[in-house]
Amino acid sequence: MYVDPASAPARKPVTVPDLRTMKAEGRKIVMLTAYDSSFAAQLERAGIDVALVGDSLGMVVQGHRTTLPVTLDHMVYHTAAVARGLSATLLIADLPFMSDRDTAHALEAGARLVGEAGAAAVKIEGAAPHILDAIGALVDRSIPVCAHLGLTPQSVHRFGGFKIQGRAQEAADRMLAEALAVQAAGADLLVLEGVPTALGERITKALQIPVIGIGAGPHCDGQVLVIHDMLGVTPGKRPKFSKDFLAGRDSVAAAIAAYAEDVRSGAFPAPEHCFN
Ligand code: KIV
């Protein structure tokens, strides 16, 4: 059923600078993925702060085993669809695999996702030198950037699977250095995925920019989940860091509202969703 976002109560649009204010004020940021206009409208009605068009769409929408087959055209198509369902919720879109292989390609991808599809910011994985250059170049051209560290899915083959990152002291120290580097390069926020709770807390405290966790513990400035995981419709086993918010509730709207409430109150993630 189509839900007209115009029927939702008016809400002040969430901006990129608002997210830093929310961190400073200790207000948790609620982020959730969306891939189409109908679900985007559900996020809008629930007052979700940030919608992420993740390249996770390759897995949960297209049925691939990894995010690697997702192309820039796919991302532009889904981002434009999500943009049509939103009004106040901030929209961030992923730079897909290899669209950030050099600064020129990253700028081209950012221009399409923001200029053509309607995102307000783009997300980019890693902290390699060419990624730091791309972050600086995007920000210089007024495209805000969300960095992404930890279990970055585009590096699945290098990691040897979807494995928790930063468990060893040396790896944790390196990830903190990378987080400081993406911040220094100009990133406006950071998604931190699949790391021990203690490292999530350490990085969140060390950064001025907001840190949004997914499997990174309760101390992050906000949380993000893949919507299919939190509605319990992802085929196979639900990831440990997620929770089925539809279980025991009678609608998608109620599930999304419960997720937002639990993130804002700090009830989610609970210890069973976290890693040591
Ligand atoms: O692609 C995606 O949905 C993501 C989130 C899991 C953070 O990157």
Side-chain angles (χ1 to χ4, degrees), residues 192-240:
L192 191 58
E193 178 166 356
V195 304
T197 293
L199 181 56
E201 181 174 16
R202 195 173 157 210
I203 290 177
T204 303
K205 285 188 171 153
L207 294 197
Q208 275 136 32
I209 60 173
V211 177
I212 314 295
I214 173 165
H219 306 290
C220 299
D221 302 305
Q223 299 291 329
V224 56
L225 285 179
V226 169
I227 192 163
H228 290 61
D229 291 345
M230 59 80 73
L231 294 177
V233 297
T234 307
K237 199 165 157 263
R238 178 172 48 76
K240 171 183 161 79

Side-chain angles (χ1 to χ4, degrees), residues 7-20:
S7 66
R11 193 161 55 102
K12 189 175 155 292
V14 180
T15 66
V16 172
D18 286 342
L19 302 179
R20 211 187 263 232

Side-chain angles (χ1 to χ4, degrees), residues 33 35 52 54-57 67 94 123 125 148 153 191 193 214 224 226:
T33 68
Y35 313 100
L52 172 68
D55 60 0
S56 51
L57 71 85
T67 61
D94 270 357
K123 180 161 77 57
E125 294 188 11
H148 186 165
V191 163
E193 178 166 356
I214 173 165
V224 56
V226 169

